Amino acid sequence: MDKSKAPPLQSLSLPSRPLTSHAISWSCDAELAIATLEGIHIFLPEYPRNSSDGEKPPSERYATSPQFPLFIQTSGSLRPDPAINAQLCLFAGVRELPPPPPPPGGADGAGGFPGVGSGPITAAGASLGQIIRVEWSPSGLGSNLRPVLAALSGHGAITCFGEYVDLCKGGSTTTQVRSFKNWRVLWGLGARLPLPMFGAERPAQLGGDVAIMNERITAFSWAKEILPGRALLAYETDDADVVVMAVQFYSRDSTPDEKGWDIREVARFDASGPHVAKDALDPDFASSSSAFSLKWSPWVTHEGKQIAALSYIAHNHVGFRRVVLEDFWKQGHTPSIKIEDHDMKGICLSLSTDAFLEWENISWNDDGVLNIRGIIASPFILYPFQIPVTGSLSAAIPPHTTRLCSTTYPSQEVPTNPITGLIIHHADPSSKPPAPHYSLVRQSCTATNQDWFQTTLPEDVMPIPQWAEDLGQRSVRQISLTRALRGKDIDSDDSDSDDMDGEQDAPDRDRLDTEGPGIGAVADGDVQMREPDVSERRVHPRRFRLWGLAASPGDGCTAAVVSKYSTQHPSRRDRAEVMFGWYVPGEVEDEVAGEKTIPPPPPPPPPPAKATTEARVWEWMYGRGPEVPGTTTAADILPLASSLNSLRRQFRDVLPRIRCVFCDTAVREQGAEAVCEKGHSFATCVSSGMPIMAPGISRVCAVCGLRCLQAAELHKLAKEHLGHDVTLDMHAETCGGCGGKFIV
């Protein structure tokens, strides 16, 4: 793979702006999702690859197009239809779903949403169902081990989207690039959606073996990756309950050709916080709701158990509840989860609406105690913190008023520009900084408000992102008021002619007319100046609003969602833009030799502990990451696979026994292909080295583009040539050459 063939990372145009902050989410496979007023925009990345058989590789078809050539837009309003969970219930053995609830007020017509929750408005179904928040799951919860996308709507429901390939029907193996052909609405939670019962009691109306979830979900968060096909999802209800759900995607031994989801509740606790609730008419009452109030910390391993902290934000309080995965989570079984009766630690702070929290990606061992750090955003002020996830619990905080802990009002001056996006950069395990390094964006970017972007990273480690430099220049640029009032340069890109016009107007900006009606004589002999002409005034024509900030899986590049507005006219266009920042090596001039050289890049950020091949390839293209073995040319992949893949060693003596399906002659290996004595050539399975002699028995890797025989075909060959009791050492769901995920 040639790095120069990587598609250029250019800005993405969106037809509408987001509804809330934190509107962007980047998956573990470098897929992007942005929630806007018109729906969710999902972008799939493209990886450049080389071809060994003379055919044009798929990446060359996009040589002139920027990155993310494939995208889809969902509906802007999601209705919690019970049919969403039909496949979920069918996999659990429930054949018939309960009838849908009647529409509100007994009105006629199918599909009415009667509302859910404890509020007088939400219980009447008043929401339009717009998207409030999106977040990708860990790897493995969708087909081909891909992540799935969860979206929270105003109805109080979580709707999950992703790829689903029906193994019973089979999939086309001729596809060479990814597409949205197999994307589906997979399942949903809350808002009167049916959920199969597994013996756990929950406050719901029973309908046979199905529970009708009479809960309005206000926030949710995915836990970090535990095991492939298994994850924990936490959500909060409007009754201040936090519920932890175990989500699995697997196939049962009895039906290996049928895969489905198993979702069940494993824990629930009260997250109302220690502060005594105030009446809405109280003079000191302040709203504190947030759709981003839940956040999982990274998992740590201690005494054979996996431990994480689940943070929740209540009224002027941040609580941390310890979650312990006590035993190995066997697929298809309920995990053994232990959640403490009270918070392991609590912090009382003066918090406003849309407060949120972010965690650092690693833990620190301080004298045998594992600590995890993070940052709380009020969302106006940052509060770094550190909590121990091992050791004894702190005493529970007794109920009290905010006046007692002095959090009724902020203890310092509060900025007026809220934080809408925060990234905590990956830390170097060998060097613990005093506080986590972060970058943030605030909501408003104007010429007079230049604190909208802040970072604590040294510039020699990570330069200012391109999108931040671009916005900074565009926000302070000036043109004449006449041009701004005509709407020029408001909805179009900057051009050289615009700058030239501005330079021509600049000398006249402070010019004083000395003749004509502009000067008048007064009694004391002074000269009175007239007001400058409107055409001579200079204004800033643009202002910007930032809706979110996200980092790529390896923290090598960033993306910000921005919308542009005019400072002189009411906003008439409702568009947004996704802008990127990545590492570009710059030239430095040698003062002695007088030559320009490219200095070596600074050390890359530490990769995630369980980074996927897709994430590592992305970081190699745009984020200072090292080259990924197995993703270069086919000639490089095959020797690598031969030396590292034990499955190839198992099938090493099988190839001489294989006969050509056309002429029944012997087959020998020739480079990346297998060729018979009469010249019939076959593609080679990169996992096993066996020739692929029939259609429909192999799968294509989305990263390197090579094929691997399906697991059933490999077991068939092993049974025929190696014996009935042989155990194959293989990973059936990933490519044997580069470790990438399959297209179908």
Side-chain angles (χ1 to χ4, degrees):
M1 180 192 297
D2 187 358
K3 191 172 183 178
S4 63
K5 294 182 180 180
L9 196 55
Q10 298 179 6
S11 298
L12 305 174
S13 179
L14 305 177
S16 62
R17 66 168 179 82
L19 178 67
T20 63
S21 58
H22 310 275
I24 184 171
S25 179
W26 219 324
S27 79
C28 59
D29 289 342
E31 302 155 323
L32 268 181
I34 302 98
T36 68
L37 290 169
E38 294 185 357
I40 306 173
H41 300 264
I42 304 170
F43 296 87
L44 302 183
E46 172 71 13
Y47 305 106
R49 30 177 149 128
N50 295 310
S51 178
S52 60
D53 54 6
E55 297 180 358
K56 179 180 287 188
S59 59
E60 290 189 10
R61 295 198 293 270
Y62 306 106
T64 58
S65 64
Q67 182 58 272
F68 297 111
L70 301 175
F71 68 93
I72 191 175
Q73 176 184 341
T74 68
S75 172
S77 178
L78 300 178
R79 182 168 59 91
D81 188 350
I84 292 175
N85 284 351
Q87 184 68 28
L88 181 68
C89 295
L90 185 63
F91 186 73
V94 180
R95 302 296 176 182
E96 295 184 4
L97 297 179
D108 296 333
F113 180 65
V116 69
S118 58
I121 298 178
T122 56
S127 173
L128 296 176
Q130 291 174 304
I131 309 302
I132 299 174
R133 169 173 164 76
V134 291
E135 184 178 341
W136 292 93
S137 76
S139 180
L141 285 190
S143 295
N144 298 318
L145 294 181
R146 299 194 181 276
V148 296
L149 179 67
L152 176 63
S153 64
H155 287 307
I158 295 175
T159 306
C160 190
F161 305 87
E163 288 187 0
Y164 178 71
V165 179
D166 193 342
L167 300 180
C168 299
K169 297 181 180 179
S172 173
T173 59
T174 60
T175 305
Q176 297 294 322
V177 294
R178 288 189 66 189
S179 68
F180 288 96
K181 176 182 177 181
N182 297 317
W183 275 69
R184 304 284 188 273
V185 178
L186 304 178
W187 44 265
L189 296 174
R192 298 185 180 273
L193 292 175
L195 188 68
M197 296 288 291
F198 295 96
E201 296 183 0
R202 59 170 62 92
Q205 301 173 1
L206 298 181
D209 296 327
V210 175
I212 305 301
M213 301 184 68
N214 191 23
E215 293 179 325
R216 182 175 185 270
I217 299 174
T218 59
F220 77 96
S221 178
W222 285 101
K224 304 300 186 290
E225 183 176 354
I226 304 173
L227 290 166
R230 283 147 282 187
L232 296 180
L233 172 67
Y235 67 81
E236 186 174 3
T237 70
D238 60 347
D239 287 329
D241 284 341
V242 170
V243 184
V244 179
M245 308 291 288
V247 183
Q248 301 182 68
F249 181 67
Y250 67 103
S251 60
R252 297 190 177 93
D253 296 336
S254 57
T255 55
D257 292 336
E258 179 185 1
K259 274 196 169 185
W261 285 269
D262 181 315
I263 304 176
R264 60 184 70 186
E265 179 181 325
V266 293
R268 180 186 293 258
F269 63 89
D270 177 36
S272 57
H275 293 148
V276 178
K278 292 182 179 295
D279 186 84
L281 299 179
D282 191 295
D284 292 332
F285 174 81
S287 176
S288 59
S289 60
S290 175
F292 323 103
S293 60
L294 297 179
K295 198 69 176 181
W296 289 84
S297 76
W299 292 96
V300 300
T301 302
H302 180 68
E303 297 180 352
K305 301 177 181 179
Q306 288 186 282
I307 306 174
L310 174 58
S311 65
Y312 68 90
I313 295 178
H315 176 58
N316 287 1
H317 178 78
V318 180
F320 302 92
R321 195 64 63 101
R322 185 159 62 188
V323 180
V324 182
L325 187 60
E326 297 186 312
D327 299 321
F328 178 79
W329 185 355
K330 295 182 180 180
Q331 202 160 48
H333 295 75
T334 302
S336 178
I337 298 292
K338 178 185 177 182
I339 296 185
E340 306 293 348
D341 296 332
H342 64 273
D343 296 343
M344 58 189 299
K345 185 177 180 61
I347 302 175
C348 292
L349 292 170
S350 179
L351 303 176
S352 183
T353 305
D354 285 345
F356 64 96
L357 179 148
E358 294 291 342
W359 292 92
E360 202 172 23
N361 66 315
I362 62 174
S363 61
W364 303 96
N365 192 332
D366 298 327
D367 298 329
V369 178
L370 296 179
N371 293 297
I372 303 182
R373 305 189 302 179
I375 296 177
I376 303 169
S378 69
F380 301 94
I381 304 173
L382 296 181
Y383 299 96
F385 67 89
Q386 174 177 292
I387 65 167
V389 292
T390 59
S392 58
L393 295 178
S394 302
I397 300 178
H400 62 277
T401 63
T402 56
R403 185 173 301 177
L404 183 64
C405 59
S406 302
T407 59
T408 305
Y409 302 103
S411 59
Q412 55 183 298
E413 184 178 355
V414 178
T416 57
N417 203 6
I419 300 170
T420 55
L422 174 65
I423 294 172
I424 297 183
H425 297 285
H426 291 182
D428 185 355
S430 62
S431 176
K432 180 181 179 181
H437 288 299
Y438 66 86
S439 296
L440 64 83
V441 293
R442 296 182 182 268
Q443 178 176 281
S444 180
C445 170
T446 66
T448 58
N449 183 17
Q450 288 296 299
D451 66 341
W452 53 270
F453 173 73
Q454 299 171 10
T455 183
T456 59
L457 277 178
E459 192 168 349
D460 58 344
V461 174
M462 176 64 73
I464 301 298
Q466 288 90 332
W467 59 266
E469 290 186 347
D470 187 18
L471 285 184
Q473 294 172 2
R474 293 162 70 182
S475 63
V476 299
R477 181 173 174 268
Q478 291 183 334
I479 64 174
S480 65
L481 178 59
T482 303
R483 294 168 60 84
L485 291 175
R486 290 202 304 263
K488 220 170 185 183
D489 307 324
I490 300 303
D491 297 313
S492 61
D493 294 333
D494 294 342
S495 62
D496 295 338
S497 61
D498 299 336
D499 296 332
M500 291 177 62
D501 292 340
E503 292 175 0
Q504 292 173 0
D505 293 341
D508 297 334
R509 178 171 46 187
D510 299 323
R511 177 172 56 87
L512 303 181
D513 293 335
T514 57
E515 59 182 5
I519 299 177
V522 292
D524 55 3
D526 293 336
V527 177
Q528 184 174 357
M529 180 72 179
R530 68 169 184 177
E531 290 294 327
D533 187 71
V534 172
S535 61
E536 300 173 358
R537 291 179 54 190
R538 309 282 294 180
V539 295
H540 302 282
R542 294 187 182 93
R543 60 182 178 88
F544 300 90
R545 184 165 184 173
L546 293 102
W547 298 94
L549 180 66
S552 59
D555 194 30
C557 59
T558 57
V561 184
V562 183
S563 57
K564 179 177 62 177
Y565 303 92
S566 168
T567 60
Q568 307 299 318
H569 297 277
S571 176
R572 295 181 177 88
R573 300 186 66 183
D574 204 17
R575 290 183 171 272
E577 187 178 5
V578 182
M579 306 177 68
F580 296 95
W582 66 99
Y583 175 75
V584 177
E587 294 183 344
V588 176
E589 184 172 357
D590 190 344
E591 297 180 356
V592 178
E595 298 178 353
K596 291 184 177 180
T597 59
I598 299 178
K610 299 180 179 180
T612 64
T613 299
E614 289 79 0
R616 291 186 289 124
V617 172
W618 179 275
E619 298 302 328
W620 175 71
M621 290 191 294
Y622 306 109
R624 296 181 294 150
E627 187 172 355
V628 183
T631 60
T632 54
T633 63
D636 293 330
I637 292 178
L638 296 180
L640 178 72
S642 300
S643 61
L644 300 180
N645 195 332
S646 59
L647 185 63
R648 276 180 167 263
R649 292 194 292 269
Q650 288 182 289
F651 279 95
R652 182 179 302 167
D653 299 330
V654 176
L655 184 61
R657 311 175 197 173
I658 302 297
R659 313 295 291 183
C660 176
V661 294
F662 298 112
C663 60
D664 198 32
T665 60
V667 177
R668 69 181 186 278
E669 188 175 359
Q670 184 175 331
E673 297 180 343
V675 182
C676 74
E677 294 178 356
K678 292 188 177 181
H680 298 123
S681 62
F682 306 93
T684 304
C685 169
V686 69
S687 297
S688 63
M690 293 291 97
I692 303 173
M693 294 187 174
I697 62 173
S698 62
R699 308 167 77 180
V700 181
C701 175
V703 180
C704 66
L706 297 182
R707 289 183 175 271
C708 296
L709 286 169
Q710 294 181 1
E713 188 67 19
L714 289 175
H715 283 294
K716 179 181 176 181
L717 289 173
K719 183 178 180 180
E720 180 180 354
H721 298 283
L722 299 177
H724 293 271
D725 56 348
V726 65
T727 301
L728 297 181
D729 184 10
M730 66 174 181
H731 299 282
E733 295 298 326
T734 56
C735 173
C738 68
K741 298 170 182 175
F742 296 115
I743 295 175
V744 178

